[in-house]
Amino acid sequence: MQLKDQIEAIANTLLSSFIPKDPAEKSLSFHFTLPPDSSYKVFFEKDTQAKWQFIRYEDAKR
């Protein structure tokens, strides 16, 4: 599995903990860490069917 696919799979697993309470929100982002020291920031946008779609990730430097 490529790194992007792995990060997307983990981000989708964590997504439910970060969904905004305001249904009008159209985008969100959050950080997570893979042991021992790899951190990533992931970005999601809401599609036309109100489902959150993974957009991209970036390395999050400490």
Side-chain angles (χ1 to χ4, degrees), residues 15-28 46 52:
L15 176 61
S16 64
S17 298
F18 296 96
I19 293 176
K21 294 188 187 319
D22 182 355
E25 290 290 331
K26 301 281 189 221
S27 64
L28 68 88
K46 197 181 286 187
W52 291 100

Side-chain angles (χ1 to χ4, degrees), residues 8-47:
E8 182 175 355
I10 293 168
N12 281 320
T13 300
L14 298 171
L15 176 61
S16 64
S17 298
F18 296 96
I19 293 176
K21 294 188 187 319
D22 182 355
E25 290 290 331
K26 301 281 189 221
S27 64
L28 68 88
S29 64
F30 60 88
H31 292 84
F32 67 89
T33 301
L34 293 177
D37 62 358
S38 299
S39 295
Y40 301 97
K41 183 174 183 180
V42 293
F43 300 84
F44 286 81
E45 289 182 358
K46 197 181 286 187
D47 68 15

Side-chain angles (χ1 to χ4, degrees), residues 42-62:
V42 293
F43 300 84
F44 286 81
E45 289 182 358
K46 197 181 286 187
D47 68 15
T48 57
Q49 297 174 341
K51 293 184 180 181
W52 291 100
Q53 300 297 321
F54 179 84
I55 300 300
R56 65 183 175 90
Y57 78 93
E58 61 188 40
D59 289 333
K61 306 292 183 206
R62 291 184 189 203

